[in-house]
Structure formats: C-alpha cells, structure tokens
Amino acid sequence: MSPYAAEFIGTMILIALGGGVCAGVSLKKSFAHGSGWIVIGLGWGLAVAVAVYAVGQISGAHLNPAVTLALAFQGAFSWRDVPGYIVAQLLGAMAGAVIVVLHYLPHWKETEDTATKLSVFATGPAMDHPFANVLSEMIGTFIFVLALQSFGANSFAEGLNPLIVGFLVVSIGLSFGGTTGYAINPARDLGPRLVHWLLPIPGKGTSNWKYAWVPIVGPLLGGSFGGLFYQTVFKGNMTLAFWIVLGMIVVVLMLTFRFSRTYKSDKAHKMTA
C-alpha cells in the first residue's frame, strides 16, 4: 500500500470513529444520546489511537495537515510529499464523514436542531470571538505537536506509542476542547464540513463557512510552530522558518484581534438598533 493510500484510510478511520462518537452523543434516538463531553473526548482519543495503529507503519500516520507541515518544517518529511499527504487526508476525512452519515441514516431526521447536526461534522465556538477562537486552536495544536515530538525522547513498550498519542488527544480535548471543540486538524474539520454541505441531510441548515477558516489557520500555524519550537528549544537547532512562522502568528492574531473588536462592536450596535 502506498503512503498516500494509508493516509486516506487512516484519516477515514479517524473521522468515522471520531465523528461517530459525536453522532452517537448528539443525535436523538441513539442509545448514547446525551452521554456528554467525557465520552466525546475519550471517543476521539481512541479514534486517533486506532487510526495510528492501522497505518502508522506505512505512512507514519500523520492524519493531519498540521502534523505534516510541522515535520516538513523540521526537515523530517519531504516537502515534495506534503501536497499528496494533505489531499489524501482531506479525502479520507470526507470518506469517514460519509460513513457516519450512512451509519446514522434515520437519526438525522429525528434531530431537529441544525447546529447539533453540524457539530457531528465540524467544530464551532462555544463563544463567538474570532481572536479567542483562533488562539484556542493555535494553543491546542501547538501543545499537540510539541508533545507528539517529545514522545520520541521517551521509551515506551513496543506497540504502546499509538495509545499514548490517543491519551494525548483525550487530554487536549478535556483541557482545551471546551472553547472551540478542538479541531487541532484542518482535515478533520474541512473534510466533514464539505460533506455536510454537499449531502442532502434532512434539515441540516448551513455549514457555517464564516467560521471554517479558524480550524484551518489556527491548527496549521500552531502545529507548525509547535514543531519548530521543539526543534529550536529541545534540539538547539534554530532556523529562519521559526521566525517566519512566529511572525505569521503575530500578524494573524493582530488582524484577528482588530476584527474581533469591530465584530463585537457591530453585534452590539445591531442589538441596540
């Protein structure tokens, strides 16, 4: 099997299991309905572990464009292979979302709330604040990639590494996931969001494209900086890319902060008008 096919299948498994737990908890007339955030966090962690076990020896199980970019910036992964990996991850995420749609086929009609249906596919903010939302995704993905890199300095029993990565995802979900739903993976959000937009799901509502940039930009910048931070601080190997990505983060946060102030002012004006 080619590494690209492995990334497709691994990401498909990740989203099928991760989106599946969201559907089970969120959709009506599911036995898991209402079982809560702890179940979602644990379900996503196990989804990551299973996906990494499935394809880790073939492609390295990036399953996430933020991880792929982080490794490329470190020089541990060829830039030539980056586009193919990201396309495979995105298509795999879409395939996984389609599996979730089919598995829960009669439950979509039984669930009236459109936001609940969208939450099965894509993330969204608990509080609509663009600056805080993108910062949250940056922090979550920074911690994810930094910790992921640090695992290499520790010795685990053979075969336990994927499970440790799954525990890391559970930890991030429980600690940081309550703000934006912790996408920490652009393919995990964009692929299923596209499926939500494309498929005729009963009463699905909008796909909230105005927010879709947050779980793309935040994880890509946060993850890339996490990899470069590890290379610089832990390995003592600073490169120009460290400063370029840091500069991009500062610019994005400044622009988003300014936009957030304008956005908040506009919302307040509309409420008083």
Side-chain angles (χ1 to χ4, degrees):
M1 181 187 297
S2 76
Y4 300 122
E7 284 295 296
F8 173 87
I9 292 172
T11 312
M12 180 184 69
I13 292 171
L14 168 64
I15 301 303
L17 294 177
V21 73
C22 290
V25 171
S26 301
L27 300 181
K28 289 185 176 180
K29 296 192 177 181
S30 159
F31 288 134
H33 182 249
S35 50
W37 187 250
I38 303 297
V39 171
I40 289 176
L42 183 60
W44 273 105
L46 291 173
V48 170
V50 171
V52 174
Y53 273 121
V55 301
Q57 294 185 3
I58 302 171
S59 68
H62 296 188
L63 314 178
N64 183 342
V67 172
T68 299
L69 280 183
L71 294 174
F73 274 121
Q74 287 182 326
F77 186 72
S78 172
W79 280 102
R80 181 182 60 188
D81 295 328
V82 167
Y85 261 54
I86 292 177
V87 170
Q89 291 156 4
L90 181 61
L91 293 177
M94 294 179 71
V98 171
I99 291 173
V100 174
V101 172
L102 295 175
H103 184 84
Y104 286 92
L105 197 58
H107 295 267
W108 303 105
K109 188 177 291 185
E110 298 294 334
T111 306
E112 298 86 6
D113 186 65
T114 58
T116 297
K117 293 176 186 178
L118 178 59
S119 71
V120 173
F121 298 88
T123 60
M127 296 180 64
D128 193 5
H129 190 291
F131 173 78
N133 300 152
V134 74
L135 180 61
S136 176
E137 286 292 338
M138 285 182 183
I139 291 171
T141 318
F142 172 83
I143 295 293
F144 175 66
V145 172
L146 180 62
L148 200 62
Q149 296 292 295
S150 302
F151 289 164
N154 297 274
S155 297
F156 299 108
E158 185 176 354
L160 284 182
N161 295 60
L163 193 58
I164 300 301
V165 175
F167 285 148
L168 170 61
V169 173
V170 173
S171 178
I172 291 173
L174 299 183
S175 299
F176 298 130
T179 55
T180 61
Y182 74 117
I184 63 172
N185 181 342
R188 170 264 176 275
D189 190 274
L190 179 58
R193 195 184 297 268
L194 284 167
V195 169
H196 177 272
W197 177 62
L198 290 169
L199 292 187
I201 299 166
K204 65 179 180 180
T206 70
S207 302
N208 194 18
W209 287 107
K210 70 175 183 179
Y211 179 79
W213 70 274
V214 172
I216 296 174
V217 173
L220 288 179
L221 289 176
S224 295
F225 189 65
L228 290 166
F229 183 88
Y230 180 82
Q231 184 183 40
T232 300
V233 176
F234 286 70
K235 297 294 187 180
N237 182 20
M238 180 177 289
T239 63
L240 180 61
F242 176 90
W243 297 108
I244 292 174
V245 173
L246 179 59
M248 292 174 66
I249 289 173
V250 171
V251 170
V252 168
L253 289 177
M254 288 176 62
L255 291 173
T256 312
F257 180 75
R258 184 172 181 179
F259 172 74
S260 293
R261 294 182 64 181
T262 305
Y263 181 73
K264 185 177 180 181
S265 177
D266 290 344
K267 284 183 70 175
H269 177 73
K270 288 179 181 179
M271 290 178 65
T272 57

